[in-house]
Amino acid sequence: MSFQYRSEFDFHGGIHPPQHKQISNRTPLQPLPLPPRVIINLGQHAGQLAEPVVQVGQTVQRGEVIASAQGHLSANIHASISGVVSAIATQPIAHASGMGKPCIVIESDGQDRAIQLPAISEPLQQDRQTLLNRVLAAGIIGMGGAGFPSHVKLMPEVHHLIINAAECEPYITCDDALMQHYATDIISALLVGQYLTQASQLTIGIEDNKPEAIAALEQALQQRFGERENCPIRICVVPTKYPSGGEKQLIELITGKQVPSRQLPLSLGIIVHNVATLLAIYRAITMGEPVTERLMTITGNRALQPGNYWTRIGTPIDWILSQHCREQDPNQAVIVGGPMMGFRLPNHAVGTEKSTNCLIFPDQQELAQPTQSLPCIRCGVCAEACPASLLPQQLYWFARSENFSQAQEYNLFDCIECGACAYVCPSEIPLVHYYRFAKSEIKHQDAEKARAAEARKRHEFRELRLAREKAERAERHRKAAEARKQAAQQQGVTDEKKATIADAVARAKARKREQESK
Amino acid sequence: MLISSPHTRNPQPVNFVMRQVVLATIPGALVLSYFFGIGIILNLLTCTLVAIVSESVILKLRQRDWRQGLQDYSAVVTAILLGLALPPLAPWWIATLGTLFAIVFAKQLYGGLGYNPFNPAMAGYVLLLISFPLSMTTWLPPQSLMQHPLPLSDAIYLFFTGLDSHGNGLNYYLSNVDGFAMATPLDELKTGLGMGYRLPEIVKAPIFNGLANVGWQWVNLAFLLGGIYLLVRRVIQWHIPVAMIASMTLVAAVLYGFDSDQNIPPVVHLLSGATMLGAFFIATDPVSAATTVKGRLIFGAGIGLIVVIIRNYGGYPDAVAFAVLLLNMTAPLIDHYTRPAVYGTGEQA
């Protein structure tokens, strides 16, 4: 047992919320039954919407591309079941606001006929670009939550590839389950990842509350490499402290370095991939599987059989609720994601997404009830808990008073919205909500400002152009008048009247010329 | 009602924090009452009653939910901190006026809990000290040094009417064997030094028996005990009290080393007057204190420095209230200049 070591670094703040992981990590993995229909969001990744390539009424098979990536930052979308496309329209999506996005709805034919891409059996013998193309073709995006298209993230070469297996949110156990059941594949996947990124250092960051997963990875490494000396992979065991799985926090725990403010880990030569994403990449390459399903935790005190389920992308959450919830309560709360950063669904008739890692069906006592918050007493407990070393009490003050320039001065945009501050706040202020509000207002104002600046620039340019044209015209007239005067002098015309007439005729001619030239 | 992540929370709610503060003052209040009698309790009861009534009335006037306003216990904490600072058997209207000012002017007119720039209890105390200096500096001697025993009934008479049942005023109970009025150790020092005595001569007075003095040392140790309880329960953080005590010790030691005839020794500073009450209960009021870690260290140290300087050189025997208010004023400035390095902006980035 020698492939692991304990992290020797720490990050500021952090909290220890109750884990609730045992609710869902005791049962074997199972597939969720085939849903009667899927609602697939075409904008579930960061970047541009995918463009539909099927028509309503068309029959599709599982694994078929139904919408293709557009532009540099986007991802392919595949049918996750076989059946008939019944709608291509804006539908409510799994989002805190209940907003809509273009979706493709497929009615299942119950056959689950599937097509796959050709398997690439020896990935390490292939051209790097071939593998990246496969990742793009398979529609892989970050499955830890951010939904960033993976082929873009894999393009630059780095020296350190970190696999995020911390899974620090309470309740969620799907990454834990993946590691316990697919440890060998994950190790192979990591070597493919190494080949793709050209990284010399490979680290799996995992919280110490997952001893079975750590043991499974250890065993897989042992089988594959035998000796520690031959193995390029290290397992860095980090303490169980939320949010150790935040990208920046995990980097600090593993390397002791901080990603410079408002920059990417790339600036340190580091790239972080979620363990589920890595496995999806591996399966897309070696088995030709596009992303049509993912392992998802269904948990909470009201979950009928809590556990981890292979769930087709786009499975309607109200359908899952009807099968997996103890009580058929129309007001049943559903949390998508973990209790710290997830959101409560305003509308259950939405599909799951590639980054939906957990559904929580809580009972009424289980989660915090919204309460009337008290004024901030500036106790500073939030600042103690903040993993970004911000001053949440000050940011709250600035956000509340809409003093956005001060909020930015206090590094509002370094807030990762982990919710540690709100978790500990004695006045129970929904702090994260204030920060989201301030951030969106600032972004909105900046966009407005940029638009205004653009308009002003256009206006100024127009003014400049008009002034220039006027000056040019005046110059032309002056020159013409001079020419006329000279001509008159040469002809010896001295009569005032004649001269005036000649002048007028010449002007009229000039005007006519001008009009003709236009 | 707003539903926003996180969906799980585990706070120490404000009213829990406030109740813990009240609880932690009990040892100090008991020791004070042991040495100075029922007057302490009368002050505490009066202040609490006035605070609750005035807080509810003004919340009602401000069209707030007055029941909820009372549930946070912050008015009770203000009342108790002020009550503990008032001289025993000062007339009842002293406690009433001070509390009214603290709650109505220093707290609610600024916007209530969370919005007051000054510590309300200390604002009330300073108002009283400046307006009624005589009443506010007339402390009973510890009961062991009292020439005339003061029965409970007479104490209550004195509190409400200014005279006991025999028609004696408070001064009757203040005088020592020689007929001179006794005072607190810090008063004694200030008066003695003012009259040209050297420190070693002044501390021969019976009130300076023991480690530092009679009575007050135990009062301070009892508040220290309560303060340690608050630290252990993580209701307050260590920065302000530790910085304040450390700076008082350091400054007092340097001054005492410089001239031991004129300057109060550090141990007398630490165990006299409102030192420990101030360090753990008053300076730690989060609303009016600095809020960054470094800022709290500066805030605490600043209070300690000003307390020693005023006690040694100023016109008032004690100075915790002044020092706290002065540093309250500087808290926003301190916070501005002591912001921690945000992730990704410091040396590790």
Side-chain angles (χ1 to χ4, degrees):
Chain A
M1 291 296 187
S2 55
F3 299 94
Q4 60 176 287
Y5 68 99
R6 274 202 82 84
S7 140
E8 51 185 303
F9 303 104
D10 194 9
F11 63 89
H12 179 265
I15 54 171
H16 298 93
Q19 297 283 308
H20 298 296
K21 302 236 184 204
Q22 69 294 342
I23 304 176
S24 58
N25 69 2
R26 299 255 180 271
T27 46
L29 310 190
Q30 326 166 36
L32 205 65
L34 216 53
R37 94 173 54 75
V38 289
I39 307 162
I40 304 177
N41 176 2
L42 301 184
Q44 52 185 292
H45 43 264
Q48 285 194 55
L49 291 180
E51 185 70 29
V53 293
V54 291
Q55 261 118 45
V56 175
Q58 189 175 331
T59 304
V60 293
Q61 302 182 70
R62 177 184 178 191
E64 198 176 322
V65 176
I66 54 173
S68 69
Q70 299 296 307
H72 175 67
L73 193 66
S74 185
N76 282 342
I77 305 274
H78 302 77
S80 56
I81 54 172
S82 68
V84 179
V85 176
S86 66
I88 302 175
T90 299
Q91 298 258 349
I93 59 156
H95 189 269
S97 68
M99 70 176 186
K101 270 196 184 180
C103 293
I104 293 181
V105 184
I106 303 170
E107 300 292 334
S108 174
D109 58 10
Q111 311 275 310
D112 205 26
R113 282 169 293 113
I115 55 165
Q116 292 195 328
L117 297 157
I120 300 173
S121 53
E122 290 288 338
L124 302 192
Q125 313 300 323
Q126 301 291 323
D127 178 19
R128 206 170 146 245
Q129 192 55 46
T130 310
L131 302 186
L132 286 177
N133 288 344
R134 169 53 59 88
V135 174
L136 167 64
I140 295 166
I141 63 170
M143 287 176 146
F148 195 86
S150 297
H151 65 279
V152 180
K153 206 168 164 183
L154 283 167
M155 275 176 199
E157 293 183 5
V158 295
H159 72 77
H160 193 174
L161 172 61
I162 292 177
I163 299 309
N164 189 346
E167 199 165 60
C168 60
E169 274 258 16
Y171 285 95
I172 309 177
T173 56
C174 57
D175 287 352
D176 184 8
L178 271 188
M179 286 185 282
Q180 290 185 42
H181 291 85
Y182 298 92
T184 313
D185 282 355
I186 287 169
I187 298 308
S188 305
L190 197 42
L191 296 175
V192 173
Q194 176 182 31
Y195 175 68
L196 279 169
T197 58
Q198 304 288 304
S200 55
Q201 230 182 322
L202 305 171
T203 311
I204 302 173
I206 183 167
E207 273 193 348
D208 60 8
N209 61 356
K210 290 181 253 308
E212 296 90 352
I214 295 170
L217 291 170
E218 276 280 345
Q219 205 189 349
L221 287 172
Q222 182 76 37
Q223 278 171 3
R224 177 117 191 180
F225 298 101
E227 290 294 315
R228 181 187 163 92
E229 286 70 40
N230 305 331
C231 176
I233 301 167
R234 290 287 176 270
I235 303 170
C236 180
V237 181
V238 304
T240 299
K241 179 169 88 162
Y242 179 87
S244 68
E247 186 173 71
K248 291 174 168 181
Q249 281 64 42
L250 191 63
I251 288 171
E252 189 170 9
L253 282 167
I254 291 174
T255 67
K257 291 183 199 146
Q258 295 183 344
V259 182
S261 176
R262 312 206 61 180
Q263 288 188 34
L264 294 172
L266 211 53
S267 62
L268 298 175
I270 297 172
I271 200 90
V272 183
H273 279 281
N274 168 264
V275 65
T277 316
L278 186 77
L279 192 61
I281 292 169
Y282 179 71
R283 288 167 75 145
I285 292 172
T286 61
M287 295 156 80
E289 271 184 20
V291 186
T292 58
E293 63 177 359
R294 68 157 296 148
L295 197 64
M296 183 179 83
T297 306
I298 297 179
T299 184
N301 285 346
R302 286 238 176 117
L304 207 52
Q305 286 172 305
N308 287 294
Y309 294 87
W310 287 104
T311 309
R312 298 299 165 88
I313 307 304
T315 302
I317 292 176
D318 52 355
W319 179 78
I320 301 177
L321 196 62
S322 68
Q323 314 232 319
H324 274 268
C325 190
R326 278 181 202 285
E327 286 176 45
Q328 294 307 316
D329 173 359
N331 295 321
Q332 174 65 44
V334 177
I335 307 288
V336 177
M340 294 302 299
M341 290 185 74
F343 55 89
R344 190 172 157 176
L345 265 191
N347 176 356
H348 297 162
V350 298
T352 61
E353 300 185 355
K354 293 174 186 175
S355 55
T356 307
N357 51 8
C358 181
L359 296 181
I360 306 175
F361 303 151
D363 64 26
Q364 256 148 23
Q365 280 75 50
E366 202 170 353
L367 294 180
Q369 299 303 312
T371 49
Q372 188 76 49
S373 49
L374 292 173
C376 169
I377 55 168
R378 288 163 43 88
C379 63
V381 183
C382 48
E384 265 186 279
C386 180
S389 301
L390 294 163
L391 293 173
Q393 70 275 41
Q394 305 290 76
L395 288 174
Y396 162 68
W397 197 263
F398 300 136
R400 201 182 139 93
S401 56
E402 306 193 11
N403 187 350
F404 297 132
S405 60
Q406 244 346 53
Q408 280 176 285
E409 168 72 23
Y410 275 71
N411 300 70
L412 174 66
F413 282 93
D414 285 302
C415 166
I416 59 168
E417 298 178 21
C418 68
C421 52
Y423 179 81
V424 298
C425 177
S427 294
E428 308 201 25
I429 301 168
L431 292 163
V432 181
H433 186 78
Y434 281 95
Y435 307 147
R436 284 197 198 112
F437 160 74
K439 283 180 185 174
S440 70
E441 281 294 305
I442 292 168
K443 281 182 189 150
H444 180 70
Q445 286 182 1
D446 284 354
E448 285 286 301
K449 257 185 232 158
R451 250 202 305 281
E454 185 62 29
R456 193 173 55 243
K457 221 164 76 186
R458 274 206 300 268
H459 175 73
E460 278 168 2
F461 184 74
R462 178 170 179 274
E463 295 281 295
L464 204 74
R465 180 169 55 81
L466 291 179
R468 197 188 60 217
E469 283 176 1
K470 201 175 165 189
E472 280 169 4
R473 211 162 38 237
E475 178 68 12
R476 267 201 313 277
H477 289 169
R478 192 182 60 76
K479 276 187 181 154
E482 252 172 37
R484 283 192 305 276
K485 221 177 252 169
Q486 269 177 9
Q489 273 169 6
Q490 274 170 11
Q491 287 171 10
V493 180
T494 46
D495 187 339
E496 272 289 309
K497 211 173 178 181
K498 269 187 182 167
T500 313
I501 294 166
D503 213 25
V505 170
R507 255 207 316 274
K509 271 184 187 161
R511 200 175 300 131
K512 202 172 180 188
R513 258 210 311 282
E514 212 169 84
Q515 274 169 359
E516 272 166 9
S517 75
K518 266 191 190 169
Chain B
M1 199 73 72
L2 182 72
I3 299 172
S4 172
S5 65
H7 307 281
T8 170
R9 278 185 241 116
N10 182 29
Q12 287 192 335
V14 173
N15 62 5
F16 171 83
V17 170
M18 296 288 177
R19 284 203 304 266
Q20 291 292 309
V21 174
V22 173
L23 200 65
T25 59
I26 289 177
L30 286 179
V31 173
L32 263 175
S33 320
Y34 172 78
F35 283 108
F36 301 101
I38 187 76
I40 303 294
I41 309 287
L42 292 173
N43 278 336
L44 287 173
L45 289 177
T46 310
C47 289
T48 308
L49 184 72
V50 174
I52 290 174
V53 171
S54 55
E55 177 105 338
S56 347
V57 167
I58 200 143
L59 281 170
K60 188 107 183 142
L61 286 175
R62 291 181 59 212
Q63 299 176 343
R64 302 296 154 102
D65 183 350
W66 61 275
R67 278 183 224 92
Q68 195 169 20
L70 286 183
Q71 275 162 11
D72 63 37
Y73 279 83
S74 61
V76 175
V77 168
T78 298
I80 284 178
L81 295 181
L82 178 61
L84 289 172
L86 294 178
L89 302 187
W92 64 271
W93 51 265
I94 287 271
T96 306
L97 194 67
T99 312
L100 272 177
F101 183 79
I103 297 289
V104 176
F105 288 87
K107 184 180 171 193
Q108 289 292 345
L109 290 191
Y110 280 104
L113 177 66
Y115 295 93
N116 46 298
F118 296 104
N119 184 313
M122 290 304 99
Y125 181 85
V126 164
L127 172 95
L128 294 173
L129 184 61
I130 292 172
S131 310
F132 312 103
L134 190 63
S135 294
M136 286 298 285
T137 48
T138 310
W139 269 84
L140 281 181
Q143 281 179 335
S144 60
L145 297 182
M146 275 173 81
Q147 200 61 29
H148 307 286
L150 177 59
L152 188 67
S153 57
D154 280 340
I156 297 172
Y157 264 105
L158 271 169
F159 182 71
F160 286 107
T161 67
L163 297 171
D164 68 9
S165 53
H166 310 289
N168 294 314
L170 196 53
N171 279 338
Y172 173 72
Y173 296 99
L174 295 179
S175 51
N176 64 10
V177 194
D178 309 319
F180 289 110
M182 291 192 287
T184 68
L186 289 174
D187 274 324
E188 205 85 2
L189 284 162
K190 179 107 314 184
T191 319
L193 290 168
M195 285 160 60
Y197 290 103
R198 289 166 51 243
L199 198 95
E201 296 167 337
I202 301 168
V203 298
K204 283 188 188 136
I207 196 146
F208 292 100
N209 291 345
L211 183 61
N213 49 50
V214 177
W216 286 99
Q217 58 182 5
W218 297 110
V219 170
N220 273 280
L221 290 171
F223 281 122
L224 175 64
L225 187 73
I228 290 170
Y229 170 80
L230 291 181
L231 283 176
V232 171
R233 295 300 301 264
R234 297 187 56 78
V235 169
I236 59 170
Q237 290 155 322
W238 60 269
H239 310 90
I240 292 175
V242 167
M244 174 172 159
I245 291 171
S247 105
M248 279 185 75
T249 312
L250 190 74
V251 177
V254 168
L255 294 176
Y256 184 68
F258 180 67
D259 183 355
S260 62
D261 278 356
Q262 298 290 326
N263 290 317
I264 304 167
V267 64
V268 175
H269 267 299
L270 292 182
L271 296 179
S272 300
T275 303
M276 294 298 169
L277 178 67
F280 289 96
F281 294 87
I282 294 168
T284 52
D285 164 37
V287 175
S288 53
T291 173
T292 63
V293 168
K294 253 192 248 163
R296 286 175 167 159
L297 292 173
I298 296 171
F299 183 86
I303 292 176
L305 173 75
I306 294 178
V307 168
V308 171
I309 287 177
I310 297 185
R311 279 182 183 175
N312 281 13
Y313 304 113
Y316 286 90
D318 204 353
V320 171
F322 291 118
V324 167
L325 292 182
L326 284 170
L327 266 291
N328 285 165
M329 273 186 238
T330 65
L333 190 74
I334 295 176
D335 280 343
H336 182 81
Y337 285 108
T338 54
R339 283 147 57 183
V342 170
Y343 179 105
T345 62
E347 285 165 13
Q348 280 173 278

